[in-house]
């Protein structure tokens, strides 16, 4: 709960001063349920935080394509999946931002299930801005009290048409992240908003990034949020 705290100090002459502060005490989040995607039958654990339901697993909707093939606008949702023992369900799909938006940049739903949408930049920031950054990493990160588990064991990035697997244990934490529906478009270049989260490296970054930056195309994971 939320607590207001006051400390009063009084000297021998009867003069006093009061300092006030507040403390929020968190327990383990027990608002947990399950979402079933009617499109493919995939089930996801979901958690309610701040009155809003979030997917607590990465989206894994679409057709898996080889990592040496581009994701394109072809009426089929395409994704990359990392191979390896125990990684398939935790990593989910990895998508180009335009693929995540279903090639309709003005539709916040993207490729999320019915009744759900890609988080906006404001929805991402609402999770973090009320608390110190390190606390947010611990609370929302893997095994954190929120049960949101915003942490990736592995991810991917495509550079000059070549897809690379990148794992936290070799230090590529800044290339792992989650997409948003929000974007800016200065000078006619899309700059989608993304969140990069790595509790193992105590690293949390979010902001807008230019798709056309040095020919680099990033492929990130997706966490959907339930519509209000």
């Amino acid at each position: 709960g939320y607590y207001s705290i006051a400390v009063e100090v009084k000297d021998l002459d009867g003069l006093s001063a009061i300092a006030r502060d507040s403390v929020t005490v968190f327990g383990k989040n027990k608002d947990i349920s399950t979402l079933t995607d009617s499109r493919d039958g995939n089930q996801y654990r979901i958690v309610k935080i701040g009155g809003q339901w979030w997917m607590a697993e990465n989206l894994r909707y679409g057709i898996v394509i080889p990592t040496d093939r581009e994701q394109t606008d072809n009426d089929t949702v395409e994704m990359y999946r990392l191979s390896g023992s125990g990684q398939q369900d935790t990593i989910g799909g990895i998508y180009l931002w335009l693929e995540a938006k279903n090639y309709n940049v003005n539709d916040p739903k993207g490729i999320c299930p019915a009744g759900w949408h890609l988080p906006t930049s404001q929805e991402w920031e609402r999770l973090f801005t009320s608390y110190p950054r390190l606390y947010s990493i611990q609370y929302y990160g893997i095994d954190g009290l929120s049960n949101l588990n915003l942490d990736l064991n592995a991810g991917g990035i495509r550079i000059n048409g070549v897809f690379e697997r990148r794992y936290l244990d070799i230090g590529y934490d800044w290339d792992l992240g989650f997409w948003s529906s929000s974007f800016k478009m200065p000078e006619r270049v899309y700059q989608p908003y993304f969140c990069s989260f790595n509790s193992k490296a105590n690293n949390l970054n979010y902001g807008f990034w230019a798709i056309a930056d040095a020919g680099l195309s990033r492929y990130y994971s997706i966490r959907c949020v339930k519509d209000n």
Side-chain angles (χ1 to χ4, degrees), residues 58-129:
N58 296 337
L59 185 71
R60 46 185 183 274
Y61 172 71
I63 303 300
V64 178
I65 64 172
T67 55
D68 60 356
R69 209 174 89 192
E70 298 284 349
Q71 294 179 7
T72 58
D73 184 7
N74 55 8
D75 297 323
T76 300
V77 176
E78 299 170 323
M79 65 176 171
Y80 302 128
R81 292 287 292 272
L82 298 179
S83 61
S85 175
Q87 295 179 359
Q88 291 286 356
D89 289 337
T90 57
I91 301 305
I94 297 176
Y95 306 87
L96 182 70
W97 181 71
L98 287 172
E99 192 79 28
K101 293 283 286 185
N102 208 18
Y103 295 91
N104 183 353
V105 297
N106 295 313
D107 182 5
K109 178 182 183 300
I111 60 173
C112 290
W116 293 69
H117 64 271
L118 292 170
T120 65
S121 58
Q122 293 84 1
E123 286 169 331
W124 274 121
E125 292 174 8
R126 199 177 300 142
L127 288 174
F128 310 128
T129 53

Side-chain angles (χ1 to χ4, degrees), residues 36-206:
T36 300
D37 191 338
S38 61
R39 299 171 297 182
D40 56 13
N42 268 321
Q43 287 191 336
Y44 301 91
R45 189 167 56 88
I46 59 176
V47 296
K48 192 174 186 179
I49 298 175
Q52 196 162 31
W53 285 98
W54 285 74
M55 285 176 52
E57 301 176 44
N58 296 337
L59 185 71
R60 46 185 183 274
Y61 172 71
I63 303 300
V64 178
I65 64 172
T67 55
D68 60 356
R69 209 174 89 192
E70 298 284 349
Q71 294 179 7
T72 58
D73 184 7
N74 55 8
D75 297 323
T76 300
V77 176
E78 299 170 323
M79 65 176 171
Y80 302 128
R81 292 287 292 272
L82 298 179
S83 61
S85 175
Q87 295 179 359
Q88 291 286 356
D89 289 337
T90 57
I91 301 305
I94 297 176
Y95 306 87
L96 182 70
W97 181 71
L98 287 172
E99 192 79 28
K101 293 283 286 185
N102 208 18
Y103 295 91
N104 183 353
V105 297
N106 295 313
D107 182 5
K109 178 182 183 300
I111 60 173
C112 290
W116 293 69
H117 64 271
L118 292 170
T120 65
S121 58
Q122 293 84 1
E123 286 169 331
W124 274 121
E125 292 174 8
R126 199 177 300 142
L127 288 174
F128 310 128
T129 53
S130 298
Y131 312 110
R133 176 165 294 205
L134 182 58
Y135 175 82
S136 293
I137 293 171
Q138 294 172 342
Y139 183 69
Y140 295 108
I142 191 166
D143 296 327
L145 294 175
S146 70
N147 275 315
L148 188 58
N149 289 330
L150 280 181
D151 194 63
L152 295 175
N153 297 315
I157 187 170
R158 179 186 290 272
I159 302 176
N160 297 325
V162 179
F163 183 87
E164 295 183 6
R165 293 172 175 82
R166 294 196 164 181
Y167 299 88
L168 296 181
D169 58 2
I170 57 175
Y172 290 114
D173 57 280
W174 59 86
D175 290 325
L176 314 178
F178 305 90
W179 282 130
S180 162
S181 62
S182 302
F183 68 95
K184 297 191 298 186
M185 198 175 178
E187 300 180 358
R188 306 185 69 175
V189 175
Y190 287 117
Q191 292 189 6
Y193 184 98
F194 74 99
C195 171
S196 177
F197 199 97
N198 175 4
S199 62
K200 294 181 181 179
N202 290 332
N203 182 40
L204 168 63
N205 294 299
Y206 44 87

